Amino acid sequence: MTKILIVGGGYAGLYTARGLERQLGAAEAEITIVDPLPYMTYLPFLPEVAAGSIEPRHAVVSLRRHLSRTRVIQASVTFVDHAAKVATIQPELGEASTLEYDVIVMTAGSVSRTFPIAGVADEAIGMKTIEEAAAVRDRLIGNFARAAALPLGPERDRLLTTVVVGGGFAGIETIAELRDFATHLLSRFPEITFDEVRFHLVEAMGRIMPEVSATTADWVVEDLRKRGVDVHLETQLQSAQDGVCELSTGDRFGSDLIIWTAGVMANPVVRKTDLPLDDRGRITALATLQVAKDGVVVPGAWTAGDVSAVPDKSKTPGPGGFCVPNAQHAVRQAKLLSKNIVAVLRDEAPREYIHDNLGAVAGLGIGNGVFQSGKIAIKGPLAWLAHRGYHVMAMPMWERKLRVFGGWWNNFWLGRDIVELSAREQPRVAFETFASRPKPKVDA
């Protein structure tokens, strides 16, 4: 029986495991997937989770529920010795152990890429995990509640100021959805006016959203500005020390919510392997998704998704000739990856990954969006419907699709839920506050 180890349970890992389950019999292969989290997160939905349009649990897919024949190990891979075909596994509790395999699939995804800017590591939060998106939602609502009880002044201004660093799709969707959500919250907080709520988008380049045309990008900037977002182009965040943002333009303002979306990098777990990497820390591969060193296949090793450097064979290749790290590539690569693994196991030739970009679509708040495919650009409600339609269909598993759609339907009639549950981060506080304790013993 062939032992297949999948490192990472994101898009690529989940789809690869499902594909292998369908194509390989129970007696043909033993499939194991290792990830610190027991679920896959559908990243394009994170801005809507942060804006209260989607419940956090609806934007994730349980690995154990949807992988019937795959062994799921909730742990971290701390080292891979592919020469010996052994991986070291470290669970949250207990001692590390080793796991032997015949075939390894590296689909560990990506993490937020940051720079050594003072205060960012201590004050900012990313938009890469479901936990971050849920925390942003709670923080925004909580800040409104705290600010409403304060008089005018610096502390109130700080609570009502949100900063998003990075003008790619993640940053634009995040700030647009949060701005829309904040405007909705004003109806519940009459003590706060529209002009008091400040949103700042900081982008180092001269334009946003490089995946769309300059004309479309300019329209998005103007739309954001009309809705009360201060867009700072060709501007860098120089410090966020103690929550005070200092920009390269000289602007300076305090913020209690700084969101970092300025790029991603391959999961550092790949550096703890003997697999070949490029200068950006990605696993080098062929278009067949086989790991390769200097064009020579590394037997028994495969990769896909954000952690890989896969040649882009489409008509419009990405930067450097490689597939860009996005969900569109990860899902499609994974579907081919499982087929190629099976093909090689059965002494057949693997196929190359070739996928032409279907276009780019972004949600900019309820009823507003932008879509670009080639020279065709759609803006406003139609683009918003296209955004929701595409992503609800791309969301894995029908039970997840129905949960997401059901949440949208309920919100249409009932409005977004504005209850924040940040106290759940310390759930024992209320119990400990009032719990009876034994009286101290008196020394005879």
Side-chain angles (χ1 to χ4, degrees):
M1 183 179 293
T2 302
K3 296 180 179 179
I4 302 174
L5 171 62
I6 302 173
V7 180
Y11 302 106
L14 171 65
Y15 274 95
T16 299
R18 279 178 60 80
L20 291 172
E21 285 186 349
R22 290 169 177 166
Q23 298 170 72
L24 294 174
E28 288 184 273
E30 178 184 288
I31 309 166
T32 301
I33 192 167
V34 181
D35 195 288
L37 299 174
Y39 51 77
M40 182 222 92
T41 303
Y42 190 69
L43 300 181
F45 277 155
L46 293 187
E48 289 203 56
V49 170
S53 294
I54 296 176
E55 286 299 309
R57 284 185 177 86
H58 296 173
V60 299
V61 178
S62 170
L63 298 178
R64 286 188 170 88
R65 175 170 181 170
H66 295 285
L67 295 176
S68 58
R69 289 198 297 109
T70 299
R71 179 189 178 195
V72 177
I73 300 178
Q74 193 170 337
S76 299
V77 174
T78 57
F79 187 73
V80 173
D81 183 356
H82 188 64
K85 293 192 174 181
V86 174
T88 303
I89 310 296
Q90 177 62 65
E92 184 178 356
L93 299 174
E95 299 295 326
S97 61
T98 57
L99 183 66
E100 296 181 353
Y101 63 84
D102 299 305
V103 175
I104 192 167
V105 181
M106 296 297 297
T107 53
S110 59
V111 299
S112 295
R113 181 192 63 183
T114 59
F115 305 103
I117 300 172
V120 167
D122 300 316
E123 304 291 340
I125 187 171
M127 188 57 67
K128 202 73 177 65
T129 69
I130 197 68
E131 293 82 5
E132 289 173 327
V136 165
R137 175 185 179 276
D138 284 345
R139 176 69 66 87
L140 185 66
I141 300 171
N143 283 354
F144 264 67
R146 287 184 281 272
L150 292 175
L152 297 176
E155 182 60 19
R156 181 176 168 120
D157 292 341
R158 185 181 69 84
L159 290 170
L160 295 176
T161 299
T162 299
V163 179
V164 175
V165 183
F169 262 75
I172 295 302
E173 289 193 295
T174 296
I175 200 164
E177 291 284 355
L178 291 180
R179 173 69 265 190
D180 184 68
F181 187 36
T183 301
H184 171 73
L185 289 176
L186 291 174
S187 63
R188 308 299 181 186
F189 292 90
E191 306 90 341
I192 301 173
T193 65
F194 181 90
D195 292 337
E196 285 185 272
V197 182
R198 304 299 301 272
F199 278 81
H200 295 272
L201 176 70
V202 181
E203 169 54 44
M205 305 298 290
R207 58 162 292 179
I208 62 170
M209 303 169 72
E211 298 88 348
V212 302
S213 68
T215 301
T216 301
D218 290 342
W219 179 87
V220 173
V221 169
E222 288 306 311
D223 181 72
L224 290 173
R225 284 173 172 160
K226 288 177 182 177
R227 294 159 60 190
V229 177
D230 292 318
V231 180
H232 306 267
L233 298 179
E234 296 186 281
T235 304
Q236 296 178 341
L237 177 67
Q238 294 188 326
S239 175
Q241 197 74 38
D242 299 323
V244 177
C245 295
E246 297 181 9
L247 308 184
S248 57
T249 56
D251 290 337
R252 191 173 185 270
F253 42 82
S255 173
D256 193 58
L257 181 53
I258 303 170
I259 305 170
W260 184 273
T261 63
V264 298
M265 66 179 184
N267 193 319
V269 69
V270 300
R271 301 171 191 169
K272 301 174 183 179
T273 74
D274 57 354
L275 298 174
L277 307 178
D278 69 0
D279 56 358
R280 295 179 57 183
R282 301 173 299 180
I283 298 175
T284 56
L286 302 181
T288 55
L289 307 175
Q290 293 168 290
V291 175
K293 183 176 183 179
D294 299 326
V296 179
V297 171
V298 176
W302 302 79
T303 187
D306 294 1
V307 79
S308 64
V310 176
D312 191 343
K313 300 269 186 169
S314 67
K315 298 176 183 177
T316 55
F322 296 100
C323 297
V324 296
N326 63 22
Q328 195 174 132
H329 281 305
V331 171
R332 285 165 176 77
Q333 286 175 0
K335 291 180 179 180
L336 176 62
L337 177 54
S338 62
K339 295 176 182 177
N340 279 354
I341 292 174
V342 173
V344 170
L345 289 177
R346 295 174 178 171
D347 296 322
E348 299 172 5
R351 294 189 293 111
E352 290 190 336
Y353 173 75
I354 302 175
H355 170 67
D356 287 318
N357 197 327
L358 298 177
V361 62
L364 303 176
I366 301 296
N368 194 18
V370 62
F371 168 79
Q372 177 104 38
S373 180
K375 296 182 179 180
I376 300 174
I378 303 174
K379 311 174 187 73
L382 284 178
W384 176 72
L385 289 173
H387 169 266
R388 285 203 158 181
Y390 171 79
H391 283 300
V392 77
M393 291 309 298
M395 179 74 183
M397 315 310 161
W398 276 102
E399 61 98 4
R400 292 287 111 176
K401 299 179 198 292
L402 293 175
R403 290 179 194 274
V404 170
F405 185 80
W408 285 338
W409 179 255
N410 290 337
N411 287 349
F412 178 78
W413 297 105
L414 305 175
R416 284 181 282 199
D417 195 328
I418 64 168
V419 174
E420 63 98 0
L421 298 173
S422 56
R424 74 184 184 282
E425 302 299 331
Q426 296 177 311
R428 296 191 65 254
V429 168
F431 180 81
E432 287 183 277
T433 300
F434 301 103
S436 298
R437 290 176 169 80
K439 295 181 180 179
K441 294 181 178 179
V442 179
D443 192 346

